[in-house]
Amino acid sequence: MSRRAYEKIVTRDPNEKEFLQAVHEVFESVAPVMERNPEYRKAAILERIAEPERIITFRVPWMDDKGDIHVNRGFRVQMNSAIGPYKGGLRFHPSVTLSILKFLAFEQVFKNALTTLPMGGGKGGSDFDPKGKSDGEVMRFCQSFMLELQRHIDHNTDVPAGDIGVGSREIGYLFGIYKRIRNEFSGVLTGKSINWGGSLIRPEATGYGAVYFAAEMLASRNQTLEGKRCLISGSGNVAQYTAEKLMELGAAVLTFSDSSGYIYDEAGMTRDKLKHVMMLKNVKRARISEYIEKYPEAVYTPIDPTLDHNPMWNHKAECAFPSATQNEINLKDAENLLNNGVYVVSEGANMPTTPEGVYLFIDKKILYGPGKAANAGGVAVSGLEMSQNSMRIKWSRDEVNSKLKQIMKRIHRSCVEAAEEYGTRGNYVNGANIAAFVKVADAMLDQGLV
Ligand code: NDP
């Protein structure tokens, strides 16, 4: 690895733990690429690729229903525009920091390159917590947030989407106020509702894509998802549609979670059970613990912060789909997964496995699909939404779904090929990092020192 380039970043931002973690992984993977291509070193590609082109930080004041005033912090990290306008979601969650958004923006650059669509990378959000807020409060927050963000985004410059805490309700409020301020109806956000510029399959895309990626990995060993037992974390957008596609392909979905705990349903999910989860999480905005009120045969386990592992990852299964948040699988969890028979991990979430967990998965040669490849289906369909907006057309469900499937197949193939080219067969982490890095680095070389 290029120690010097990495150490410089550590010295500059020593406290940005998540960002450093993401950079370290990529720099480690691309070390042989740097060796083979001295022109990258000469052009200081590593130093430039890890420094955001622009970071915007702003105050977001808003008033709650009682008339009390609150102040949150808003961010947009415009990381890299070598291959297209900045593209990446907005996260509203109290844990949001600049380090988290820089890691997400950095990952996004490579993920977007893997899709082969013309999209640069960015990410943004706020430490605002939509949980427990009324619709009116969420709307006023979104309007205040966009009042500032609109100065920095545009359908040709930077196109945000949703992420944790930003779903169709928030995208609607953000779009509404953008349209009013700018007096234009444009494709400045993706994840829009289907009635006003959204794409079919966008809500499903990340989850479906993570399942397609798992299916591709299994196909490389002449296997399918049929009959496989699957553990899913989270119960939001990605988790729900991962579950839907897995069931469609004949797999058994055993778990869902949220930040309070998880449910284990040994009998497996059914369409009705999933519908109930969607109602609980999307309409009632309730906790996953309420699942057992309707399905008492399932078991709910609250999070125990004194444990050194998450018991959710300690059940017999073949596949795991972490779909909640970063670093949710530590070394102990990774060991538990392997000991319970899991040999397919397809990451719906971004960077859900700690580096020690990743090393273990690679060492044990399981089918491990890192987030930047496995969850790229979401941004891929966002890219398709942008195309439909520009062309003012609407593709059918089948058309979008088949394009998504093809994109996930291509991403899988480019990971496999890049890993093989650099002598690390079956290592999807190296494959994804190398394939994406070369694409972005070459574009940066072509465009000179900017
Ligand atoms: P949602 O807000 O819809 O759902 C997030 C889920 O994860 C909720 O169940 C939430 O529980 C849980 N969660 C969030 N933070 C934590 C935490 N700190 N500890 C435990 N559980 C947590 O978000 P998405 O489904 O959209 O996103 C999930 C993951 O997928 C994220 O890592 C995101 O970056 C990634 N991703 C999303 C894409 C998309 O298209 N939406 C695209 C690519 C990646 P609770 O309700 O308690 O907060």
Side-chain angles (χ1 to χ4, degrees):
M1 179 172 72
S2 173
R3 281 261 143 225
R4 263 202 27 226
Y6 181 70
E7 292 306 332
K8 255 195 237 166
I9 299 167
V10 176
T11 308
R12 193 178 268 166
D13 296 309
N15 301 319
E16 295 186 349
K17 178 166 77 62
E18 295 84 4
F19 177 57
L20 293 173
Q21 180 183 335
V23 171
H24 188 275
E25 184 201 280
V26 171
F27 280 20
E28 200 168 62
S29 286
V30 303
V33 184
M34 297 301 291
E35 283 297 315
R36 235 189 247 184
N37 297 279
E39 67 276 20
Y40 291 161
R41 198 177 299 272
K42 190 148 176 271
I45 294 292
L46 290 182
E47 287 82 349
R48 287 160 61 201
I49 214 164
E51 182 64 19
E53 290 177 10
R54 190 175 300 104
I55 297 178
I56 300 136
T57 314
F58 50 97
R59 179 175 67 192
V60 191
W62 59 280
M63 193 177 278
D64 69 20
D65 291 343
K66 297 197 293 273
D68 291 336
I69 290 171
H70 301 265
V71 178
N72 284 96
R73 188 170 281 175
F75 302 92
R76 186 72 182 163
V77 179
Q78 297 180 331
M79 197 79 193
N80 192 299
S81 59
I83 58 176
Y86 309 108
K87 180 88 197 88
L90 296 171
R91 178 177 290 191
F92 291 169
H93 194 272
S95 65
V96 162
T97 59
L98 185 57
S99 169
I100 287 184
L101 294 180
K102 278 176 69 180
F103 118 64
L104 289 165
F106 185 73
E107 291 279 292
Q108 195 82 45
V109 172
F110 302 99
K111 180 190 314 196
N112 293 3
L114 285 174
T115 65
T116 69
L117 301 175
M119 298 181 290
K123 199 86 187 189
S126 172
D127 56 0
F128 172 75
D129 188 358
K131 249 185 245 127
K133 307 287 189 299
S134 69
D135 286 350
E137 289 171 332
V138 170
M139 182 178 74
R140 288 195 292 281
F141 174 82
C142 288
Q143 292 180 337
S144 180
F145 183 86
M146 188 53 96
L147 212 53
E148 175 60 35
L149 186 67
Q150 58 88 21
R151 297 177 210 276
H152 312 284
I153 63 173
D154 170 78
H155 68 286
N156 285 319
T157 310
D158 184 352
V159 183
D163 190 77
I164 292 178
V166 179
S168 57
R169 172 182 61 169
E170 289 75 15
I171 292 290
Y173 294 149
L174 291 163
F175 184 80
I177 192 73
Y178 181 91
K179 181 169 63 77
R180 181 164 181 203
I181 300 166
R182 303 279 289 249
N183 193 25
E184 63 183 37
F185 194 113
S186 73
V188 67
L189 292 165
T190 58
K192 299 185 291 298
S193 165
I194 192 65
N195 299 326
W196 42 271
S199 173
L200 287 161
I201 301 284
R202 177 59 190 91
E204 295 89 340
T206 309
Y208 280 17
V211 176
Y212 293 150
F213 197 84
E216 285 299 312
M217 292 197 293
L218 278 163
S220 73
R221 294 188 185 174
N222 296 320
Q223 294 181 35
T224 69
L225 280 160
E226 196 172 352
K228 302 279 186 298
R229 291 166 298 181
C230 303
L231 307 174
I232 300 181
S233 65
S235 48
N237 171 269
V238 178
Q240 292 170 14
Y241 289 104
T242 297
E244 185 172 277
K245 185 52 73 178
L246 281 172
M247 286 192 291
E248 199 183 305
L249 297 179
V253 173
L254 306 180
T255 60
F256 277 124
S257 71
D258 60 23
S259 50
S260 313
Y262 79 97
I263 50 133
Y264 176 74
D265 190 336
E266 196 172 6
M269 291 290 146
T270 58
R271 290 221 154 264
D272 283 347
K273 288 175 177 177
L274 178 60
K275 216 164 128 197
H276 186 60
V277 169
M278 288 178 166
M279 188 280 296
L280 283 179
K281 299 304 286 187
N282 310 348
V283 181
K284 203 170 164 203
R285 298 189 188 274
R287 311 305 297 156
I288 198 67
S289 55
E290 284 191 28
Y291 179 89
I292 57 167
E293 289 172 16
K294 182 148 186 200
Y295 301 106
E297 66 279 18
V299 179
Y300 174 71
T301 309
I303 294 262
D304 177 353
T306 63
L307 286 181
D308 63 351
H309 68 284
N310 182 345
M312 210 199 90
W313 302 124
N314 204 8
H315 291 280
K316 294 261 170 274
E318 287 76 39
C319 310
F321 291 83
S323 309
T325 193
Q326 63 276 353
N327 292 328
E328 54 170 314
I329 296 181
N330 64 20
L331 179 59
K332 179 93 175 120
D333 295 318
E335 285 167 352
N336 285 340
L337 284 168
L338 298 179
N339 290 337
N340 277 291
V342 167
Y343 66 98
V344 179
V345 177
S346 187
E347 294 184 338
N350 285 305
M351 207 170 75
T353 311
T354 62
E356 299 75 23
V358 173
Y359 289 133
L360 182 68
F361 289 155
I362 291 172
D363 186 48
K364 297 295 177 199
K365 299 198 175 343
I366 67 160
L367 297 169
Y368 168 60
K372 65 169 76 72
N375 71 37
V379 74
V381 174
S382 274
L384 301 179
E385 183 174 330
M386 288 164 74
S387 307
Q388 292 171 81
N389 290 166
S390 300
M391 295 190 278
R392 304 216 183 280
I393 55 165
K394 204 167 189 165
W395 291 323
S396 71
R397 220 183 135 77
D398 283 350
E399 274 175 296
V400 181
N401 192 32
S402 99
K403 286 182 204 297
L404 169 63
K405 232 187 242 175
Q406 286 313 313
I407 290 171
M408 296 314 295
K409 246 184 206 298
R410 276 208 305 269
I411 294 176
H412 178 266
R413 198 172 53 233
S414 54
C415 291
V416 167
E417 287 172 359
E420 275 186 14
E421 190 186 338
Y422 282 87
T424 54
R425 191 154 192 250
N427 182 333
Y428 288 91
V429 175
N430 280 350
N433 287 334
I434 292 172
F437 175 81
V438 168
K439 186 161 184 220
V440 179
D442 285 346
M444 290 172 74
L445 278 186
D446 290 346
Q447 293 170 21
L449 189 54
V450 291

